[in-house]
Amino acid sequence: MQIQDLPYPDPGVPDARSGPRFLWWLGRNQLGGQLKALAWGLLHFVAVSAQPFCVGFAIEAVVDRSGSRLALTGALMVLCGAATAIGDTFLHRAAVTNWITAAARVQQLLARKASELGSGLTRRVAAGEVVAVSTGDVEKIGWFVEAVSRFTAAALTVLLVCVGLVVYQPALGIVVAVGLPVLALAVLPLLPPATRRADVQREKAGRATELASDTVAGLRVLRGIGGEELFLDRYRGASQEVRHAAVRSARMWSLISAIQVLLPGLLLIAVVWYGVQLAREGRITVGELVAVYSSVMVLTYPLRHFEEIAMAYSFSRPSARRAAGVLSLERVTDAGGSRAADTPRGDLYDPVTGLLAPAGRLTAVVCGDPDAAGRLAERLGGHPAEGGPSVLLGGVPLDELPLDSARTAVLVQDKDPVLLSGSLRDLLDVPASGDVEPEAALTAAQCGDVLEALAQGSLDADDPMDALITERGRSLSGGQRQRLALARSLLTDPEVLVLDEPTSAVDSHTEARIAAGVRSLRAGRTTVVFTSSPLLLDRADRVVLVHEGEVAALGVHRELLRTEPGYRAVVTRETDEEAALSGALVALDVDEEKKLNELKEIEETA
Protein backbone atom coordinates (compact mmCIF):
# COMPACT_ATOMS: atom_id res chain seq x y z
CA MET A 1 0.00 0.00 0.00
CA GLN A 2 1.37 3.39 -1.03
CA ILE A 3 0.29 6.76 0.29
CA GLN A 4 -1.30 7.68 -3.03
CA ASP A 5 -3.58 4.62 -2.70
CA LEU A 6 -5.22 5.98 0.44
CA PRO A 7 -7.92 5.83 1.65
CA TYR A 8 -8.26 2.07 1.99
CA PRO A 9 -11.17 0.56 0.09
CA ASP A 10 -11.89 -1.36 3.29
CA PRO A 11 -9.88 -0.63 6.47
CA GLY A 12 -10.85 -4.03 7.85
CA VAL A 13 -12.35 -5.22 11.13
CA PRO A 14 -10.03 -4.21 13.98
CA ASP A 15 -9.13 -6.30 16.98
CA ALA A 16 -10.37 -3.83 19.60
CA ARG A 17 -10.23 -6.13 22.63
CA SER A 18 -7.32 -4.15 24.08
CA GLY A 19 -4.74 -1.54 23.16
CA PRO A 20 -1.83 -3.99 22.54
CA ARG A 21 -4.06 -6.26 20.45
CA PHE A 22 -5.11 -3.28 18.37
CA LEU A 23 -1.47 -2.28 17.81
CA TRP A 24 -0.62 -5.86 16.84
CA TRP A 25 -3.55 -5.91 14.39
CA LEU A 26 -2.36 -2.67 12.78
CA GLY A 27 1.20 -3.95 12.40
CA ARG A 28 0.03 -7.28 10.98
CA ASN A 29 -2.10 -5.52 8.38
CA GLN A 30 0.94 -3.54 7.21
CA LEU A 31 3.28 -6.50 7.02
CA GLY A 32 4.46 -5.64 3.52
CA GLY A 33 5.39 -2.09 4.52
CA GLN A 34 7.06 -3.33 7.69
CA LEU A 35 9.22 -5.83 5.79
CA LYS A 36 10.19 -3.15 3.28
CA ALA A 37 11.24 -0.77 6.06
CA LEU A 38 13.09 -3.63 7.78
CA ALA A 39 15.07 -4.41 4.63
CA TRP A 40 16.09 -0.79 4.07
CA GLY A 41 16.87 -0.44 7.77
CA LEU A 42 19.15 -3.45 7.74
CA LEU A 43 20.98 -2.08 4.70
CA HIS A 44 21.46 1.27 6.41
CA PHE A 45 22.48 0.05 9.87
CA VAL A 46 24.75 -2.75 8.59
CA ALA A 47 26.48 -0.33 6.23
CA VAL A 48 27.04 2.15 9.08
CA SER A 49 28.33 -0.61 11.39
CA ALA A 50 30.67 -2.00 8.70
CA GLN A 51 32.61 1.28 8.45
CA PRO A 52 34.71 0.63 11.62
CA PHE A 53 35.84 -2.73 10.28
CA CYS A 54 36.90 -1.01 7.04
CA VAL A 55 38.88 1.53 9.06
CA GLY A 56 40.60 -1.29 10.97
CA PHE A 57 41.46 -3.11 7.73
CA ALA A 58 42.84 0.13 6.27
CA ILE A 59 45.11 0.73 9.28
CA GLU A 60 46.41 -2.82 9.09
CA ALA A 61 47.03 -2.37 5.33
CA VAL A 62 49.05 0.79 6.03
CA VAL A 63 51.05 -0.96 8.77
CA ASP A 64 51.73 -3.87 6.41
CA ARG A 65 52.45 -1.44 3.52
CA SER A 66 49.96 -3.26 1.28
CA GLY A 67 48.68 -0.93 -1.42
CA SER A 68 46.27 -3.43 -2.93
CA ARG A 69 44.61 -4.13 0.42
CA LEU A 70 44.37 -0.38 1.09
CA ALA A 71 42.71 0.18 -2.31
CA LEU A 72 40.30 -2.67 -1.69
CA THR A 73 39.46 -1.27 1.74
CA GLY A 74 38.87 2.18 0.22
CA ALA A 75 36.48 0.67 -2.32
CA LEU A 76 34.61 -1.10 0.47
CA MET A 77 34.33 2.19 2.39
CA VAL A 78 32.87 3.91 -0.68
CA LEU A 79 30.43 1.05 -1.11
CA CYS A 80 29.40 1.26 2.57
CA GLY A 81 28.94 5.02 2.27
CA ALA A 82 26.67 4.61 -0.75
CA ALA A 83 24.69 1.85 0.99
CA THR A 84 24.35 4.06 4.07
CA ALA A 85 22.90 6.95 2.05
CA ILE A 86 20.58 4.79 -0.03
CA GLY A 87 19.37 2.78 2.95
CA ASP A 88 18.74 5.88 5.05
CA THR A 89 16.78 7.57 2.26
CA PHE A 90 14.49 4.66 1.53
CA LEU A 91 14.19 3.70 5.20
CA HIS A 92 12.84 7.17 5.94
CA ARG A 93 10.46 6.93 3.00
CA ALA A 94 9.18 3.49 4.05
CA ALA A 95 8.86 4.53 7.71
CA VAL A 96 6.86 7.67 6.91
CA THR A 97 4.64 5.63 4.61
CA ASN A 98 3.98 3.15 7.43
CA TRP A 99 3.23 6.01 9.82
CA ILE A 100 0.78 7.76 7.50
CA THR A 101 -0.98 4.61 6.36
CA ALA A 102 -1.43 3.40 9.94
CA ALA A 103 -2.82 6.79 11.01
CA ALA A 104 -5.10 6.89 7.96
CA ARG A 105 -6.42 3.40 8.70
CA VAL A 106 -7.23 4.36 12.30
CA GLN A 107 -8.97 7.56 11.17
CA GLN A 108 -11.02 5.60 8.63
CA LEU A 109 -12.02 3.12 11.34
CA LEU A 110 -13.03 5.95 13.68
CA ALA A 111 -15.00 7.70 10.94
CA ARG A 112 -16.78 4.46 10.07
CA LYS A 113 -17.63 3.83 13.71
CA ALA A 114 -18.93 7.40 14.14
CA SER A 115 -21.09 6.96 11.05
CA GLU A 116 -22.39 3.62 12.30
CA LEU A 117 -23.27 4.83 15.81
CA GLY A 118 -24.54 8.26 14.78
CA SER A 119 -25.68 10.50 17.62
CA GLY A 120 -25.38 7.57 20.02
CA LEU A 121 -21.58 7.92 19.96
CA THR A 122 -21.47 11.15 21.95
CA ARG A 123 -23.96 9.71 24.45
CA ARG A 124 -21.43 6.99 25.30
CA VAL A 125 -18.13 8.84 24.75
CA ALA A 126 -17.48 12.54 25.32
CA ALA A 127 -17.10 14.54 22.11
CA GLY A 128 -13.74 15.90 23.29
CA GLU A 129 -12.51 12.34 23.80
CA VAL A 130 -13.45 11.42 20.24
CA VAL A 131 -11.59 14.50 18.97
CA ALA A 132 -8.50 13.63 21.03
CA VAL A 133 -8.49 10.04 19.74
CA SER A 134 -8.85 11.09 16.09
CA THR A 135 -6.04 13.68 16.29
CA GLY A 136 -3.23 13.28 18.84
CA ASP A 137 -3.80 9.59 19.55
CA VAL A 138 -3.74 8.71 15.87
CA GLU A 139 -0.27 10.27 15.51
CA LYS A 140 1.12 8.35 18.50
CA ILE A 141 -0.28 5.05 17.20
CA GLY A 142 1.26 5.69 13.78
CA TRP A 143 4.59 6.53 15.44
CA PHE A 144 4.77 3.15 17.18
CA VAL A 145 3.76 1.22 14.07
CA GLU A 146 6.51 2.80 11.99
CA ALA A 147 9.11 2.57 14.79
CA VAL A 148 8.76 -1.21 15.07
CA SER A 149 10.52 -1.94 11.79
CA ARG A 150 13.41 0.45 12.54
CA PHE A 151 13.83 -1.04 16.00
CA THR A 152 13.87 -4.57 14.56
CA ALA A 153 16.53 -3.56 12.04
CA ALA A 154 18.61 -1.93 14.79
CA ALA A 155 18.31 -4.99 17.07
CA LEU A 156 19.36 -7.38 14.27
CA THR A 157 22.29 -5.08 13.42
CA VAL A 158 23.50 -5.04 17.04
CA LEU A 159 23.31 -8.84 17.09
CA LEU A 160 25.28 -9.14 13.81
CA VAL A 161 27.97 -6.71 15.00
CA CYS A 162 28.38 -8.56 18.29
CA VAL A 163 28.83 -11.84 16.41
CA GLY A 164 31.23 -10.14 13.98
CA LEU A 165 33.34 -8.68 16.82
CA VAL A 166 33.55 -12.07 18.56
CA VAL A 167 34.79 -13.64 15.31
CA TYR A 168 37.06 -10.70 14.41
CA GLN A 169 38.66 -10.18 17.85
CA PRO A 170 37.40 -12.66 20.49
CA ALA A 171 39.09 -11.02 23.48
CA LEU A 172 37.42 -7.62 23.02
CA GLY A 173 34.39 -8.98 21.17
CA ILE A 174 33.22 -10.96 24.20
CA VAL A 175 33.39 -7.81 26.37
CA VAL A 176 31.26 -5.90 23.86
CA ALA A 177 28.86 -8.83 23.35
CA VAL A 178 28.24 -9.03 27.10
CA GLY A 179 28.08 -5.26 27.64
CA LEU A 180 25.64 -4.34 24.87
CA PRO A 181 22.69 -6.43 26.16
CA VAL A 182 23.26 -4.90 29.57
CA LEU A 183 23.03 -1.45 27.99
CA ALA A 184 19.87 -2.35 26.13
CA LEU A 185 18.13 -3.80 29.21
CA ALA A 186 19.38 -1.30 31.79
CA VAL A 187 16.45 1.06 31.30
CA LEU A 188 13.76 -1.62 31.65
CA PRO A 189 13.15 -0.93 35.39
CA LEU A 190 12.47 2.72 34.52
CA LEU A 191 9.92 2.00 31.80
CA PRO A 192 6.90 1.17 34.05
CA PRO A 193 7.02 4.47 35.98
CA ALA A 194 7.69 6.33 32.74
CA THR A 195 4.67 4.64 31.17
CA ARG A 196 2.47 5.48 34.16
CA ARG A 197 3.49 9.13 33.98
CA ALA A 198 2.77 9.16 30.25
CA ASP A 199 -0.67 7.67 30.95
CA VAL A 200 -1.41 10.35 33.54
CA GLN A 201 -0.32 13.06 31.11
CA ARG A 202 -2.53 11.61 28.39
CA GLU A 203 -5.57 11.38 30.67
CA LYS A 204 -5.18 14.96 31.85
CA ALA A 205 -4.69 16.15 28.27
CA GLY A 206 -7.85 14.28 27.25
CA ARG A 207 -9.86 15.93 30.03
CA ALA A 208 -8.51 19.35 29.05
CA THR A 209 -9.50 18.70 25.44
CA GLU A 210 -13.01 17.67 26.52
CA LEU A 211 -13.33 20.82 28.64
CA ALA A 212 -12.12 23.02 25.77
CA SER A 213 -14.52 21.36 23.33
CA ASP A 214 -17.49 21.77 25.67
CA THR A 215 -16.55 25.39 26.42
CA VAL A 216 -16.26 26.33 22.76
CA ALA A 217 -19.55 24.59 21.94
CA GLY A 218 -21.36 26.54 24.67
CA LEU A 219 -19.49 29.84 24.34
CA ARG A 220 -22.55 31.79 23.24
CA VAL A 221 -24.55 30.60 26.26
CA LEU A 222 -21.62 31.17 28.63
CA ARG A 223 -21.32 34.77 27.51
CA GLY A 224 -25.04 35.25 27.93
CA ILE A 225 -24.99 34.18 31.59
CA GLY A 226 -21.64 35.75 32.42
CA GLY A 227 -19.91 32.42 33.00
CA GLU A 228 -17.13 32.84 30.46
CA GLU A 229 -14.45 33.73 33.02
CA LEU A 230 -15.47 30.86 35.27
CA PHE A 231 -14.93 28.31 32.51
CA LEU A 232 -11.72 30.01 31.41
CA ASP A 233 -10.38 29.64 34.96
CA ARG A 234 -11.34 25.97 34.89
CA TYR A 235 -9.52 25.47 31.61
CA ARG A 236 -6.45 27.31 32.92
CA GLY A 237 -6.39 24.95 35.88
CA ALA A 238 -6.77 21.91 33.63
CA SER A 239 -4.00 23.10 31.29
CA GLN A 240 -1.67 23.66 34.25
CA GLU A 241 -2.31 20.09 35.38
CA VAL A 242 -1.38 18.91 31.90
CA ARG A 243 1.81 20.99 32.02
CA HIS A 244 2.85 19.57 35.39
CA ALA A 245 2.14 16.01 34.22
CA ALA A 246 4.16 16.64 31.03
CA VAL A 247 7.11 17.95 33.05
CA ARG A 248 7.07 14.90 35.33
CA SER A 249 6.92 12.61 32.31
CA ALA A 250 9.73 14.49 30.56
CA ARG A 251 11.95 14.19 33.64
CA MET A 252 11.64 10.43 33.58
CA TRP A 253 12.37 10.22 29.87
CA SER A 254 15.35 12.57 30.25
CA LEU A 255 16.70 10.21 32.93
CA ILE A 256 16.30 7.29 30.53
CA SER A 257 18.11 9.28 27.82
CA ALA A 258 20.91 10.15 30.23
CA ILE A 259 21.38 6.48 31.10
CA GLN A 260 21.47 5.64 27.40
CA VAL A 261 24.36 8.09 27.03
CA LEU A 262 26.18 7.24 30.26
CA LEU A 263 26.31 3.46 29.98
CA PRO A 264 27.69 3.32 26.40
CA GLY A 265 30.33 5.82 27.50
CA LEU A 266 31.34 3.57 30.39
CA LEU A 267 31.44 0.58 28.04
CA LEU A 268 33.62 2.54 25.63
CA ILE A 269 36.06 3.44 28.42
CA ALA A 270 36.21 -0.20 29.50
CA VAL A 271 36.86 -1.39 25.92
CA VAL A 272 39.63 1.19 25.36
CA TRP A 273 41.31 0.43 28.68
CA TYR A 274 41.19 -3.32 28.16
CA GLY A 275 42.17 -2.99 24.50
CA VAL A 276 45.24 -0.91 25.35
CA GLN A 277 46.33 -3.58 27.80
CA LEU A 278 45.92 -6.26 25.13
CA ALA A 279 47.80 -4.15 22.56
CA ARG A 280 50.69 -3.59 24.98
CA GLU A 281 50.87 -7.34 25.49
CA GLY A 282 50.83 -7.84 21.71
CA ARG A 283 47.69 -9.91 21.75
CA ILE A 284 45.87 -7.56 19.32
CA THR A 285 46.99 -5.17 16.63
CA VAL A 286 46.39 -1.42 16.53
CA GLY A 287 43.97 -1.88 13.61
CA GLU A 288 41.91 -4.37 15.58
CA LEU A 289 41.77 -2.01 18.58
CA VAL A 290 40.60 0.88 16.37
CA ALA A 291 38.01 -1.34 14.69
CA VAL A 292 36.52 -2.50 18.00
CA TYR A 293 36.62 1.02 19.46
CA SER A 294 34.89 2.45 16.36
CA SER A 295 32.30 -0.31 16.40
CA VAL A 296 31.32 0.49 19.97
CA MET A 297 31.09 4.17 19.02
CA VAL A 298 28.88 3.44 16.04
CA LEU A 299 26.63 1.02 17.95
CA THR A 300 25.36 3.89 20.10
CA TYR A 301 23.40 4.94 16.98
CA PRO A 302 21.23 1.80 16.62
CA LEU A 303 21.02 1.55 20.41
CA ARG A 304 19.10 4.83 20.48
CA HIS A 305 16.24 3.03 18.74
CA PHE A 306 15.80 0.85 21.84
CA GLU A 307 14.94 4.02 23.75
CA GLU A 308 12.70 5.24 20.93
CA ILE A 309 10.66 2.03 20.76
CA ALA A 310 10.17 2.09 24.52
CA MET A 311 8.99 5.71 24.37
CA ALA A 312 6.78 5.08 21.34
CA TYR A 313 5.10 2.11 23.04
CA SER A 314 4.62 3.99 26.30
CA PHE A 315 2.89 6.86 24.53
CA SER A 316 0.96 4.76 22.02
CA ARG A 317 -0.39 2.17 24.44
CA PRO A 318 -2.87 4.51 26.21
CA SER A 319 -3.71 6.02 22.83
CA ALA A 320 -4.38 2.58 21.38
CA ARG A 321 -6.46 1.67 24.43
CA ARG A 322 -8.62 4.76 23.94
CA ALA A 323 -8.97 4.10 20.20
CA ALA A 324 -9.88 0.46 20.88
CA GLY A 325 -12.44 1.65 23.44
CA VAL A 326 -14.19 3.74 20.81
CA LEU A 327 -13.91 1.09 18.10
CA SER A 328 -15.28 -1.62 20.40
CA LEU A 329 -18.57 0.24 20.83
CA GLU A 330 -21.46 -1.50 19.14
CA ARG A 331 -24.98 -0.46 18.26
CA VAL A 332 -27.51 -1.41 20.89
CA THR A 333 -29.45 -3.32 18.24
CA ASP A 334 -28.09 -5.37 15.38
CA ALA A 335 -28.28 -3.65 12.00
CA GLY A 336 -26.56 -6.37 10.04
CA GLY A 337 -29.21 -6.30 7.36
CA SER A 338 -30.87 -9.69 7.24
CA ARG A 339 -33.45 -8.28 4.80
CA ALA A 340 -33.03 -6.94 1.29
CA ALA A 341 -31.92 -3.33 0.92
CA ASP A 342 -35.41 -2.08 0.05
CA THR A 343 -37.05 0.95 1.64
CA PRO A 344 -40.30 -0.20 3.28
CA ARG A 345 -43.42 1.96 3.30
CA GLY A 346 -46.31 2.18 5.72
CA ASP A 347 -47.06 3.14 9.29
CA LEU A 348 -44.25 3.82 11.77
CA TYR A 349 -44.88 1.97 15.03
CA ASP A 350 -42.90 1.78 18.27
CA PRO A 351 -43.92 -1.30 20.29
CA VAL A 352 -42.22 0.00 23.45
CA THR A 353 -44.30 3.17 23.84
CA GLY A 354 -47.21 2.21 21.60
CA LEU A 355 -46.64 5.27 19.41
CA LEU A 356 -48.17 4.95 15.93
CA ALA A 357 -47.48 7.45 13.14
CA PRO A 358 -49.83 6.71 10.21
CA ALA A 359 -48.30 6.73 6.75
CA GLY A 360 -48.63 9.98 4.85
CA ARG A 361 -49.80 11.95 7.90
CA LEU A 362 -48.28 14.64 10.10
CA THR A 363 -48.07 13.32 13.66
CA ALA A 364 -47.08 15.56 16.58
CA VAL A 365 -45.69 14.00 19.75
CA VAL A 366 -45.80 15.79 23.11
CA CYS A 367 -43.44 14.69 25.91
CA GLY A 368 -43.10 16.42 29.24
CA ASP A 369 -39.43 15.36 29.46
CA PRO A 370 -37.19 16.79 26.67
CA ASP A 371 -34.57 14.08 27.23
CA ALA A 372 -37.19 11.37 26.88
CA ALA A 373 -38.36 13.04 23.67
CA GLY A 374 -34.80 12.96 22.32
CA ARG A 375 -34.37 9.28 23.18
CA LEU A 376 -37.71 8.41 21.58
CA ALA A 377 -36.81 10.36 18.43
CA GLU A 378 -33.53 8.43 18.14
CA ARG A 379 -35.41 5.19 18.72
CA LEU A 380 -37.82 5.97 15.88
CA GLY A 381 -34.80 6.48 13.64
CA GLY A 382 -33.31 3.11 14.53
CA HIS A 383 -30.70 4.47 16.97
CA PRO A 384 -31.98 3.27 20.36
CA ALA A 385 -29.91 4.10 23.44
CA GLU A 386 -30.97 0.83 25.08
CA GLY A 387 -32.22 -2.56 23.99
CA GLY A 388 -35.79 -3.55 23.28
CA PRO A 389 -38.12 -4.46 20.41
CA SER A 390 -37.33 -2.73 17.15
CA VAL A 391 -39.41 0.06 15.67
CA LEU A 392 -41.52 -1.17 12.74
CA LEU A 393 -41.95 0.63 9.43
CA GLY A 394 -44.70 -0.94 7.36
CA GLY A 395 -44.43 -3.99 9.61
CA VAL A 396 -40.70 -4.37 8.88
CA PRO A 397 -38.30 -4.08 11.87
CA LEU A 398 -35.73 -1.36 11.20
CA ASP A 399 -33.08 -3.54 12.88
CA GLU A 400 -33.41 -6.11 10.08
CA LEU A 401 -32.66 -3.57 7.36
CA PRO A 402 -29.12 -2.71 6.28
CA LEU A 403 -28.00 0.43 8.08
CA ASP A 404 -27.95 2.52 4.89
CA SER A 405 -31.48 1.44 3.99
CA ALA A 406 -32.79 2.17 7.49
CA ARG A 407 -31.29 5.65 7.40
CA THR A 408 -32.69 6.26 3.94
CA ALA A 409 -36.15 5.28 5.17
CA VAL A 410 -36.15 7.31 8.39
CA LEU A 411 -34.29 10.57 8.90
CA VAL A 412 -34.02 12.06 12.39
CA GLN A 413 -33.13 15.71 12.94
CA ASP A 414 -32.24 16.22 16.60
CA LYS A 415 -32.83 19.37 18.59
CA ASP A 416 -29.25 20.61 18.07
CA PRO A 417 -28.39 19.92 14.42
CA VAL A 418 -24.84 20.66 13.22
CA LEU A 419 -23.98 22.88 10.25
CA LEU A 420 -20.58 22.18 8.72
CA SER A 421 -18.44 24.99 7.36
CA GLY A 422 -18.65 25.71 3.64
CA SER A 423 -21.05 27.29 1.22
CA LEU A 424 -24.83 27.01 1.46
CA ARG A 425 -24.70 24.97 -1.74
CA ASP A 426 -22.38 22.49 0.01
CA LEU A 427 -24.71 22.38 3.02
CA LEU A 428 -27.61 21.38 0.79
CA ASP A 429 -25.56 18.87 -1.21
CA VAL A 430 -27.09 15.86 0.56
CA PRO A 431 -28.53 12.54 -0.64
CA ALA A 432 -32.08 13.37 -1.71
CA SER A 433 -35.02 11.88 -3.55
CA GLY A 434 -34.93 14.65 -6.18
CA ASP A 435 -38.63 15.41 -5.73
CA VAL A 436 -37.97 18.50 -3.61
CA GLU A 437 -36.06 21.47 -5.00
CA PRO A 438 -33.68 23.45 -2.76
CA GLU A 439 -35.74 26.61 -3.27
CA ALA A 440 -38.90 24.85 -2.11
CA ALA A 441 -37.17 23.48 1.00
CA LEU A 442 -35.69 26.90 1.87
CA THR A 443 -39.08 28.54 1.39
CA ALA A 444 -40.90 26.00 3.54
CA ALA A 445 -38.32 26.52 6.31
CA GLN A 446 -38.71 30.33 6.01
CA CYS A 447 -35.03 30.92 5.19
CA GLY A 448 -35.51 34.15 3.19
CA ASP A 449 -33.91 36.42 5.80
CA VAL A 450 -31.16 33.84 6.35
CA LEU A 451 -30.22 34.03 2.67
CA GLU A 452 -30.12 37.83 2.87
CA ALA A 453 -27.87 37.70 5.95
CA LEU A 454 -25.51 35.24 4.28
CA ALA A 455 -25.35 37.34 1.11
CA GLN A 456 -24.53 40.47 3.12
CA GLY A 457 -21.83 38.65 5.06
CA SER A 458 -20.17 37.23 1.90
CA LEU A 459 -19.29 40.17 -0.33
CA ASP A 460 -17.64 37.93 -2.94
CA ALA A 461 -20.76 35.77 -3.42
CA ASP A 462 -23.18 37.00 -6.09
CA ASP A 463 -25.45 34.02 -5.47
CA PRO A 464 -26.64 33.41 -1.86
CA MET A 465 -26.09 29.70 -2.49
CA ASP A 466 -22.34 30.45 -2.72
CA ALA A 467 -22.32 32.37 0.58
CA LEU A 468 -20.03 30.85 3.19
CA ILE A 469 -21.24 29.37 6.47
CA THR A 470 -18.78 29.39 9.34
CA GLU A 471 -18.06 26.31 11.45
CA ARG A 472 -21.27 25.06 13.12
CA GLY A 473 -22.94 28.22 11.75
CA ARG A 474 -21.60 30.33 14.63
CA SER A 475 -22.11 33.56 12.70
CA LEU A 476 -25.87 32.84 12.56
CA SER A 477 -28.47 33.06 15.28
CA GLY A 478 -29.97 29.94 16.82
CA GLY A 479 -33.19 30.37 14.85
CA GLN A 480 -31.33 30.84 11.57
CA ARG A 481 -29.29 27.69 12.17
CA GLN A 482 -32.46 25.77 12.98
CA ARG A 483 -34.17 26.86 9.78
CA LEU A 484 -31.20 25.98 7.57
CA ALA A 485 -31.00 22.55 9.20
CA LEU A 486 -34.75 22.09 8.67
CA ALA A 487 -34.39 23.05 4.99
CA ARG A 488 -31.63 20.45 4.63
CA SER A 489 -33.87 17.76 6.15
CA LEU A 490 -36.83 18.73 3.98
CA LEU A 491 -34.62 18.61 0.87
CA THR A 492 -33.58 15.05 1.71
CA ASP A 493 -37.26 14.05 1.47
CA PRO A 494 -37.09 10.70 3.30
CA GLU A 495 -40.00 8.29 3.55
CA VAL A 496 -40.28 9.20 7.26
CA LEU A 497 -38.97 12.48 8.70
CA VAL A 498 -38.62 12.81 12.48
CA LEU A 499 -38.08 16.37 13.77
CA ASP A 500 -37.16 17.05 17.39
CA GLU A 501 -38.15 20.60 18.41
CA PRO A 502 -37.44 22.08 14.94
CA THR A 503 -38.76 25.57 15.82
CA SER A 504 -37.73 26.07 19.45
CA ALA A 505 -35.51 29.07 18.60
CA VAL A 506 -37.80 31.02 16.24
CA ASP A 507 -40.52 33.59 16.93
CA SER A 508 -44.21 32.71 16.83
CA HIS A 509 -44.95 34.39 13.47
CA THR A 510 -42.12 32.53 11.74
CA GLU A 511 -43.13 29.33 13.53
CA ALA A 512 -46.67 29.55 12.18
CA ARG A 513 -45.39 29.95 8.62
CA ILE A 514 -42.93 27.06 9.09
CA ALA A 515 -45.78 24.85 10.33
CA ALA A 516 -47.79 25.62 7.20
CA GLY A 517 -44.76 25.16 4.94
CA VAL A 518 -43.76 21.80 6.42
CA ARG A 519 -47.32 20.50 6.24
CA SER A 520 -47.63 21.55 2.59
CA LEU A 521 -44.22 20.28 1.46
CA ARG A 522 -44.53 16.96 3.31
CA ALA A 523 -48.04 16.23 2.07
CA GLY A 524 -48.34 12.49 1.42
CA ARG A 525 -45.18 11.75 3.42
CA THR A 526 -44.93 10.50 7.00
CA THR A 527 -43.74 13.22 9.35
CA VAL A 528 -43.29 13.04 13.12
CA VAL A 529 -42.65 16.27 15.04
CA PHE A 530 -41.67 16.31 18.71
CA THR A 531 -42.90 19.65 20.00
CA SER A 532 -44.99 21.41 22.62
CA SER A 533 -45.72 24.43 20.42
CA PRO A 534 -49.48 25.03 19.96
CA LEU A 535 -48.80 26.46 16.50
CA LEU A 536 -47.27 23.19 15.29
CA LEU A 537 -49.68 21.01 17.24
CA ASP A 538 -52.69 22.73 15.70
CA ARG A 539 -51.39 21.86 12.21
CA ALA A 540 -50.91 18.16 12.98
CA ASP A 541 -53.30 15.49 11.71
CA ARG A 542 -52.77 13.53 14.89
CA VAL A 543 -51.35 14.49 18.30
CA VAL A 544 -49.94 11.90 20.72
CA LEU A 545 -49.16 12.51 24.39
CA VAL A 546 -46.36 10.28 25.70
CA HIS A 547 -46.07 10.15 29.49
CA GLU A 548 -43.60 7.99 31.45
CA GLY A 549 -42.66 6.01 28.36
CA GLU A 550 -46.18 5.17 27.19
CA VAL A 551 -48.85 6.72 25.00
CA ALA A 552 -51.22 8.42 27.44
CA ALA A 553 -53.60 10.12 25.03
CA LEU A 554 -54.14 10.80 21.35
CA GLY A 555 -56.41 12.98 19.28
CA VAL A 556 -56.24 16.47 17.82
CA HIS A 557 -54.79 19.50 19.56
CA ARG A 558 -57.97 21.38 20.53
CA GLU A 559 -59.76 18.28 21.71
CA LEU A 560 -56.83 17.25 23.94
CA LEU A 561 -56.64 20.74 25.39
CA ARG A 562 -60.24 20.38 26.60
CA THR A 563 -60.16 16.79 27.78
CA GLU A 564 -56.59 16.02 28.94
CA PRO A 565 -55.24 17.99 31.94
CA GLY A 566 -51.78 16.43 31.55
CA TYR A 567 -51.60 17.47 27.91
CA ARG A 568 -52.84 20.94 28.73
CA ALA A 569 -50.24 21.31 31.49
CA VAL A 570 -47.38 20.46 29.12
CA VAL A 571 -48.56 22.60 26.21
CA THR A 572 -49.67 25.66 28.18
CA ARG A 573 -47.02 25.19 30.91
CA GLU A 574 -49.58 25.53 33.67
CA THR A 575 -48.61 25.28 37.33
CA ASP A 576 -50.40 22.78 39.59
CA GLU A 577 -52.69 25.50 40.99
CA GLU A 578 -53.53 26.75 37.50
CA ALA A 579 -54.19 23.21 36.32
CA ALA A 580 -56.56 22.59 39.26
CA LEU A 581 -58.44 25.84 38.58
CA SER A 582 -58.63 25.07 34.88
CA GLY A 583 -59.95 21.60 35.62
CA ALA A 584 -62.60 23.06 37.92
CA LEU A 585 -63.71 25.51 35.25
CA VAL A 586 -63.94 22.73 32.69
CA ALA A 587 -66.03 20.70 35.16
CA LEU A 588 -68.35 23.66 35.69
CA ASP A 589 -68.72 24.09 31.96
CA VAL A 590 -69.61 20.42 31.61
CA ASP A 591 -72.19 20.66 34.42
CA GLU A 592 -73.77 23.74 32.86
CA GLU A 593 -73.92 21.99 29.51
CA LYS A 594 -75.65 18.98 31.11
CA LYS A 595 -78.23 21.21 32.82
CA LEU A 596 -78.97 23.02 29.57
CA ASN A 597 -79.46 19.72 27.79
CA GLU A 598 -81.84 18.51 30.54
CA LEU A 599 -83.91 21.72 30.32
CA LYS A 600 -84.12 21.30 26.55
CA GLU A 601 -85.38 17.75 26.93
CA ILE A 602 -88.05 18.89 29.49
CA GLU A 603 -89.23 21.69 27.18
CA GLU A 604 -89.45 19.35 24.20
CA THR A 605 -91.44 16.80 26.27
CA ALA A 606 -93.89 19.46 27.51
Side-chain angles (χ1 to χ4, degrees), residues 43-57 76-77 80 84 157 161 291 295 298:
L43 175 63
H44 172 64
F45 289 127
V46 170
V48 170
S49 302
Q51 291 281 7
F53 293 96
C54 294
V55 173
F57 292 149
L76 288 175
M77 293 182 70
C80 288
T84 299
T157 300
V161 171
S295 295
V298 169

Side-chain angles (χ1 to χ4, degrees), residues 405-456:
S405 299
R407 288 182 171 174
T408 301
V410 184
L411 173 66
V412 179
Q413 177 183 301
D414 61 23
K415 60 172 60 69
D416 187 23
V418 176
L419 303 183
L420 302 179
S421 59
S423 67
L424 180 57
R425 194 182 307 278
D426 294 334
L427 176 70
L428 299 179
D429 185 15
V430 293
S433 66
D435 296 334
V436 178
E437 295 296 328
E439 293 77 10
L442 291 168
T443 301
Q446 299 298 308
C447 293
D449 63 317
V450 184
L451 297 180
E452 293 177 4
L454 289 174
Q456 292 174 0

